[in-house]
């Protein structure tokens, strides 16, 4: 078995035996293979560029490019310079680095605009620059919210007037561009409006309008709330109360109907008014036996003596007359009229009873429930038959009555305040399920297939040139060199054999035998005969 150096030497000898055209073709083929391998490697190592930022202002684009060059991050320009591309595996990392530097600024300018003012500018231009700077600073502040991609602020600040009646209040408009799938709740919108109003003198938060990129009004999320004068916090409280009742109802019916088979909705009428009431009532006068004595006062006077009585005057001072009164004379006590007043008295009593009075002071807190309206839908019971088909069976009347009672208990049903409850058993119509995205349409699968196909293509090209071009060429070289050596050996052996046979035959049998021997040899070994003839011709 030949060694590796011997095989290499044989290859070089085979290469040297080739003609000039064959040598040139071989060198071109080897150069093509090497170029293909190098190009495939470069193509494989070349990163896939994706958009870092697009639609950039010139100032932001220049600042971003300068920072990319400073940090040795590869980049490309596309779309006429309006988009900057970086390797796909560095997009998010680069965005974070640029965000830490405050880039991109979105084309808005802040108070740095006032740093470049020149001498001799008019007062109007100063006012315009200040308003532009204030709008830019507000936009930057709003963009710091996680859901806001970009923002623009427009301020309408009227010129001051010396007349109080002609003074106008400023107003503001805010345009928000939100990230896909993001939304702002009422509290965040209220925060933006109050922040803008607090940044401009005499600007009321009611004069700030917030609109998203689709033209939806965000500063007023509920038109009815505006008519009723409800604040966002009160609307949020109503939603919380309703969700609390919904959660109670669904949690108590889910063990009976099964998960996902109960849907409830609650409409709550909430009273946010604060009422203070003081009432003082009096009952009719009770009987003395049931009444409480508050105070009692009594006085009594009596007289027993011969005091001066009668009508003062001369008549009462005269001596009594003779006892000549007739039988029919009035019975006058002895001693005259004065004697009649002896033994008289006076008694006086006063009793004061308590007045039955009731005083009530009532203060009702805000947020009390005035009325609840509850609607509940329960899915029918599903049963699977022996044939595998699913059938629906409604709940019994007694079961529905029990569910209705459970809902009333869970919501705290009150007939006095006019609550209503409606529980219905129906077959849910879930509709067709959304079609699943085929595997061949999945973006992740497509990217994976592209990467695999790319690698397989490179590998196939390399293997094709190695086994289809390089290996056959070297095999042909080796075979050419080996075949020539074999031919030379066979020819030499044939000539020697022929000469030996000629000598033997000539010496023993003569010319005829030699000729027949040569004919037989030509039939049996035509290659040997051809080599012998070739050798004779060469000689």
């Amino acid at each position: 078995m030949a060694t590796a150096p011997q095989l290499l030497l044989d290859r070089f000898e085979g290469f040297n035996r080739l003609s000039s055209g064959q040598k040139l073709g071989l060198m071109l083929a080897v150069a093509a293979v090497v170029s293909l391998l190098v190009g495939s490697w470069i193509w494989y190592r070349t990163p896939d560029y994706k958009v870092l930022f697009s639609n950039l202002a010139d100032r932001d684009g220049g600042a971003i490019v300068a920072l990319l060059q400073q940090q040795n991050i590869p980049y490309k320009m596309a779309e006429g310079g309006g988009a900057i591309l970086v390797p796909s595996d560095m997009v998010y990392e680069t965005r974070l680095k640029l965000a830490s530097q405050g880039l991109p600024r979105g084309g808005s300018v802040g108070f740095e605009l006032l740093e470049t003012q020149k001498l001799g500018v008019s007062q109007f231009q100063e006012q315009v620059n200040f308003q532009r700077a204030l709008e830019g600073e507000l936009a930057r502040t709003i963009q710091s919210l996680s859901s806001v991609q970009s923002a623009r602020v427009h301020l309408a600040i009227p010129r001051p007037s010396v007349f109080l009646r002609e003074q106008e209040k400023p107003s503001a408009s805010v345009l928000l561009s939100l990230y896909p799938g993001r939304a702002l709740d009422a509290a965040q919108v209220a925060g933006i409006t109050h922040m803008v109003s607090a940044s401009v003198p005499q600007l009321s938060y009611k004069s700030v309008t917030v609109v998203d990129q689709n033209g939806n009004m965000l500063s007023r999320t509920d038109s009815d709330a505006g008519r009723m004068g409800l604040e966002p916090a009160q609307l949020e409280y109503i939603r919380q109360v309703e969700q609390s009742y919904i959660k109670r109802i669904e949690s108590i019916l889910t063990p009976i109907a099964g998960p996902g088979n109960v849907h409830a909705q609650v409409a709550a009428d909430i009273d946010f008014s604060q009422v203070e009431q003081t009432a003082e009532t009096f009952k009719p006068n009770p009987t003395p036996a049931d009444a409480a004595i508050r105070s009692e006062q009594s006085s009594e006077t009596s007289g027993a003596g011969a005091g001066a009585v009668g009508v003062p005057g001369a008549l009462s001072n005269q001596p009594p007359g003779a006892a000549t009164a007739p039988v029919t004379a009035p019975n006058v006590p002895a001693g005259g009229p004065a004697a009649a007043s002896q033994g008289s008295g006076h008694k006086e009593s006063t009793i004061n009873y308590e007045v039955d009075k009731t005083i009530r002071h009532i203060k009702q807190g805000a947020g009390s429930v005035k009325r609840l309206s509850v609607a509940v839908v329960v899915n029918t019971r599903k049963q699977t038959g022996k044939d595998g088909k699913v059938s629906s069976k409604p709940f019994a009347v007694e079961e529905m009555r029990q569910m209705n009672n459970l809902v009333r208990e869970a919501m705290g049903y009150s007939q006095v305040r006019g609550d209503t409850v409606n529980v219905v058993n129906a077959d849910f119509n879930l509709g067709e399920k959304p079609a699943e995205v085929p595997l061949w349409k999945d973006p992740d699968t497509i990217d994976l297939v592209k990467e695999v196909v790319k690698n397989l293509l490179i590998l196939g090209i390399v293997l094709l040139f190695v086994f289809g071009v390089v290996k056959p060429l070297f095999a042909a070289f080796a075979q050419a060199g080996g075949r020539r050596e074999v031919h030379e050996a066979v020819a030499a052996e044939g000539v020697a054999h022929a000469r030996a046979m000629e000598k033997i035959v000539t010496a023993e049998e003569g010319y005829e035998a030699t000729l027949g021997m040569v004919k037989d040899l030509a039939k049996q070994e035509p290659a040997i005969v051809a080599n012998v003839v070739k050798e004779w011709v060469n000689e």
Side-chain angles (χ1 to χ4, degrees), residues 246-263:
I246 292 174
K247 187 176 180 180
R248 291 182 189 176
I249 295 170
E250 292 183 349
S251 62
I252 200 170
L253 294 182
T254 297
I256 301 175
N261 292 324
V262 178
H263 293 290

Side-chain angles (χ1 to χ4, degrees), residues 355-377:
V355 178
D356 192 355
K357 180 177 66 173
T358 303
I359 300 176
R360 289 188 178 91
H361 182 74
I362 302 173
K363 182 178 181 180
Q364 297 180 355
S368 59
V369 179
K370 294 175 61 178
R371 186 173 178 270
L372 291 177
S373 299
V374 179
V376 183
V377 180

Side-chain angles (χ1 to χ4, degrees), residues 384-426:
T384 304
K386 296 181 180 180
D387 55 353
K389 295 183 179 180
V390 179
S391 60
S392 300
K393 180 180 179 181
F395 285 92
V397 178
E398 182 63 22
E399 292 176 329
M400 293 301 301
R401 187 184 64 80
Q402 294 176 356
M403 291 184 185
N404 195 301
N405 293 335
L406 288 176
V407 171
R408 289 172 179 263
E409 294 295 333
M411 63 174 286
Y413 177 82
S414 176
Q415 188 177 2
V416 176
R417 64 187 182 191
D419 295 346
T420 58
V421 179
N422 190 7
V423 182
V424 178
N425 183 209

Side-chain angles (χ1 to χ4, degrees), residues 397-461:
V397 178
E398 182 63 22
E399 292 176 329
M400 293 301 301
R401 187 184 64 80
Q402 294 176 356
M403 291 184 185
N404 195 301
N405 293 335
L406 288 176
V407 171
R408 289 172 179 263
E409 294 295 333
M411 63 174 286
Y413 177 82
S414 176
Q415 188 177 2
V416 176
R417 64 187 182 191
D419 295 346
T420 58
V421 179
N422 190 7
V423 182
V424 178
N425 183 209
D427 191 7
F428 284 5
N429 184 11
L430 302 178
E432 297 182 357
K433 295 183 179 180
E436 297 182 357
V437 179
L439 187 61
W440 57 274
K441 287 186 178 181
D442 189 6
D444 296 335
T445 305
I446 294 175
D447 294 339
L448 179 61
V449 171
K450 287 181 178 180
E451 190 69 20
V452 172
V453 171
K454 178 180 178 181
N455 297 332
L456 291 178
L457 181 61
I458 296 174
L459 181 60
I461 294 174

Side-chain angles (χ1 to χ4, degrees), residues 126-308:
E126 288 182 351
Q127 183 65 27
V128 171
N129 290 338
F130 174 76
Q131 184 170 337
R132 287 183 56 195
L134 183 58
E135 291 174 350
E137 292 293 335
L138 290 174
R140 291 178 183 177
T141 304
I142 296 174
Q143 289 176 7
S144 62
L145 296 177
S146 59
S147 300
V148 180
Q149 184 177 10
S150 62
R152 294 195 65 182
V153 179
H154 301 279
L155 299 178
I157 303 177
R159 298 181 62 181
S161 176
V162 295
F163 301 100
L164 297 177
R165 295 181 179 178
E166 297 180 0
Q167 288 184 355
E168 299 180 0
K169 299 295 182 181
S171 60
S173 300
V174 181
L175 175 62
L176 302 179
S177 179
L178 305 179
Y179 285 104
R182 301 288 185 87
L184 297 177
D185 55 17
Q188 291 175 319
V189 175
I192 293 175
T193 57
H194 283 78
M195 182 198 66
V196 175
S197 64
S199 302
V200 181
Q202 297 182 356
L203 175 60
S204 174
Y205 73 93
K206 297 180 180 180
S207 301
V208 180
T209 303
V210 182
V211 184
D212 63 1
Q213 71 270 25
N214 297 323
N216 299 324
M217 182 77 70
L218 302 180
S219 54
R220 292 182 181 178
T221 56
D222 194 343
S223 59
D224 295 335
R227 290 193 296 267
M228 293 185 297
L230 297 180
E231 297 180 357
Q234 295 175 342
L235 293 174
E236 183 65 23
Y237 177 76
I238 294 176
R239 295 190 184 96
Q240 291 178 358
V241 171
E242 293 175 347
Q243 290 298 325
S244 176
Y245 282 109
I246 292 174
K247 187 176 180 180
R248 291 182 189 176
I249 295 170
E250 292 183 349
S251 62
I252 200 170
L253 294 182
T254 297
I256 301 175
N261 292 324
V262 178
H263 293 290
Q265 289 294 328
V266 177
D269 186 6
I270 307 297
D271 185 10
F272 292 100
S273 59
Q274 294 183 354
V275 179
E276 293 186 7
Q277 181 180 4
T278 302
E280 184 176 357
T281 57
F282 296 89
K283 291 183 178 180
N285 293 332
T287 58
D290 298 333
I293 298 176
R294 181 178 183 181
S295 62
E296 181 178 0
Q297 182 179 2
S298 60
S299 61
E300 181 178 357
T301 58
S302 59

